[in-house]
Amino acid sequence: MSRTKRLTEIEKMQIVREAAEGVSTTALATQFGVTARAVRYVLKADAERQTDTAIPVSAVSVKVTAAELEALDAVLAKAGIKSRAEGLRRLIQAAGGVFVPDARMAAEMARYRASLHEVGNGVAQIAKQMAQANRQGQGAGPEFTELRLAQMRGLARFILDSADEIDLLLRRRRDAMQLQATAALREFAHAAE
C-alpha cells in the first residue's frame, strides 16, 4: 500500500460514491492503493464541501405580533444585520450549533489549511526519503547531511503546525460567533416574555 499515492479528482468522486453505497473504508483503501486514513480524509472533505455549498431551498414563515416584529428589527439593527431573512438564517444556524457568518472565508481557510497539510506531508516524505538514503549509504552528497535532514524535518513540522494554527483560529472564531448567537437567541427569548 502506497502512502504517497495522490488520488485524482475522479478517484475521489468514486470513493465518495462507493462509500455511499456501503463499501467499507478498508476495502476502498485497498482498491485505490491508499491508506484508510486517506479515504476517511476524502470522505470528510466531501462532507464539508457539501455543507459549505448548501443552497437554501426551504422557506420559513411565522406570524408575530407588531411588538415582536419591532423587537426583532431592533435587535437586528443593533447587530448590524440588514434584513430579517439574514437575521433568521443566522439564528437558525446558531441554534443548530453552526454559526458561520462568512461561509466563503471559512471555505477558503479550510482549503488553505488542507493545502498546508499537503505541503507539510510532502516535505515530511522528502525528509523520510533522505533519512532512508542515509541509512542505505546513498546519502554521501552534501544535500543529505544530518543538518539538512533536521532542517527538512523542522520545515515539515512548521508547515503542519501552521495548518493546525489556522484550524485552531477558525474553531475559536466559530466558537466566539456561537456565543454571540446564543446571546442573541437569549435576547430574543427575553424580548418575547
Side-chain angles (χ1 to χ4, degrees), residues 28-116:
L28 288 169
T30 303
Q31 178 182 346
F32 289 95
V34 294
T35 63
R37 180 179 179 208
V39 171
R40 286 190 297 273
Y41 184 78
V42 167
L43 296 175
K44 181 182 179 206
D46 183 69
E48 289 173 354
R49 180 193 57 77
Q50 288 180 9
T51 300
D52 290 343
T53 60
I55 298 170
V57 293
S58 299
V60 175
S61 173
V62 62
K63 291 186 179 190
V64 295
T65 66
E68 290 171 329
L69 190 56
E70 205 173 290
L72 173 65
D73 288 341
V75 170
L76 293 177
K78 185 177 174 183
I81 299 171
K82 297 194 184 330
S83 73
R84 292 175 184 156
E86 180 61 23
L88 291 175
R89 184 177 298 110
R90 289 186 185 195
L91 287 172
I92 290 168
Q93 289 172 340
V98 179
F99 188 72
V100 182
D102 188 349
R104 181 176 291 147
M105 182 195 76
E108 287 298 318
M109 293 300 282
R111 279 194 285 278
Y112 182 62
R113 177 181 175 267
S115 294
L116 276 178

Side-chain angles (χ1 to χ4, degrees), residues 79-184:
I81 299 171
K82 297 194 184 330
S83 73
R84 292 175 184 156
E86 180 61 23
L88 291 175
R89 184 177 298 110
R90 289 186 185 195
L91 287 172
I92 290 168
Q93 289 172 340
V98 179
F99 188 72
V100 182
D102 188 349
R104 181 176 291 147
M105 182 195 76
E108 287 298 318
M109 293 300 282
R111 279 194 285 278
Y112 182 62
R113 177 181 175 267
S115 294
L116 276 178
H117 260 289
E118 197 171 303
V119 170
N121 285 333
V123 172
Q125 288 298 319
I126 292 169
K128 183 178 176 182
Q129 293 297 323
M130 287 173 68
Q132 185 177 3
N134 279 348
R135 281 193 301 274
Q136 294 174 352
Q138 298 170 350
E143 65 274 4
F144 290 110
T145 65
E146 288 302 317
L147 175 62
R148 297 276 182 168
L149 184 56
Q151 289 171 336
M152 290 297 288
R153 286 186 180 129
L155 178 60
R157 192 171 22 260
F158 170 76
I159 292 170
L160 292 171
D161 288 347
S162 296
D164 290 340
E165 286 295 321
I166 289 171
D167 185 51
L168 183 60
L169 174 74
L170 286 173
R171 288 174 195 265
R172 285 181 181 159
R173 176 80 173 138
R174 187 193 64 216
D175 291 346
M177 295 298 229
Q178 277 184 296
L179 290 174
Q180 290 175 359
T182 302

